[in-house]
Amino acid sequence: MNTGQELIAVFDAAGEVVGAAPRAEVYARSLWHGSAGVILRSGDGRRVYVHRRADDKLVMPGLWDCVAGGVVDPGETPLDTATRELAEELGVSGVALRLLLATAWESGPGPGLGGPEGLRCHLFGYEAFWDGPVRHQPSEVAEGGWMTIDELAALLADPARPFAPDSRILAEHFLGTV
């Protein structure tokens, strides 16, 4: 289980790195931070890898997600983070990543969403294509599998299957471009 003590990069509202702090403090104080992730598509582009987040994650536990991603560590670029997270969470490496979206977002307060202002994050979203095996990191991913673009859209619309809000931003942008 993640204790929240590892250092992550702290950003300002404009998107510049201004320091580092423990993950738990960043979340508890609603500090701006960066995250980067990858929508993994099949080689033909018709399917997307979708998973459910582990139930003991520090934020957004158990929610559905279509992004292998995480927070930007001190000294990392968003591309470094996306590359690292894709390898850690899904066991995929050696693929080209293409930037889809860079945006700032705020979740607002809510259960599992950090401190009094919720999560405040600069999101960097990429896509990659892959037809090889996918290997989950058990501490990050509870379950997962390939879905068609239409199945992903249906999942996003299903209130009975809550979706990670940052990944929803990237997924909705992605769906608007396919």
Side-chain angles (χ1 to χ4, degrees):
M1 182 171 171
N2 186 328
T3 65
Q5 295 308 305
E6 75 276 11
L7 291 179
I8 64 174
V10 174
F11 286 64
D12 63 18
E16 297 297 320
V17 175
V18 295
R23 178 191 298 257
E25 179 183 342
V26 169
Y27 293 162
R29 294 180 47 210
S30 298
L31 299 177
W32 281 100
H33 62 286
S35 71
V38 181
I39 291 179
L40 186 62
R41 300 176 71 179
S42 58
D44 64 8
R46 295 181 179 172
R47 296 174 297 138
V48 174
Y49 200 83
V50 178
H51 65 277
R52 192 174 60 78
R53 295 166 61 88
D55 292 324
D56 61 354
K57 300 252 325 162
L58 204 53
V59 295
M60 299 180 267
L63 297 184
W64 287 94
D65 203 337
C66 68
V67 174
V71 295
V72 177
D73 286 345
E76 271 188 329
T77 67
L79 180 59
D80 293 338
T81 301
T83 301
R84 173 178 53 81
E85 290 290 341
L86 183 60
E88 287 177 4
E89 290 184 16
L90 300 181
V92 175
S93 59
V95 296
L97 303 183
R98 183 176 75 89
L99 184 65
L100 293 177
L101 176 69
T103 190
W105 73 278
E106 298 182 60
S107 70
L113 294 175
E117 304 298 322
L119 295 175
R120 302 163 92 187
C121 186
H122 295 280
L123 172 64
F124 302 90
Y126 298 84
E127 72 176 348
F129 294 85
W130 177 256
D131 283 324
V134 174
R135 292 180 310 280
H136 298 157
Q137 181 181 46
S139 64
E140 300 277 350
V141 178
E143 62 181 295
W146 293 99
M147 288 187 174
T148 66
I149 303 296
D150 289 341
E151 289 169 331
L152 173 59
L155 176 64
L156 285 165
D158 184 353
R161 298 172 74 191
F163 208 86
D166 56 342
S167 294
R168 177 179 294 278
I169 292 167
L170 181 54
E172 289 174 348
H173 174 80
F174 164 74
L175 289 172
T177 65
V178 289

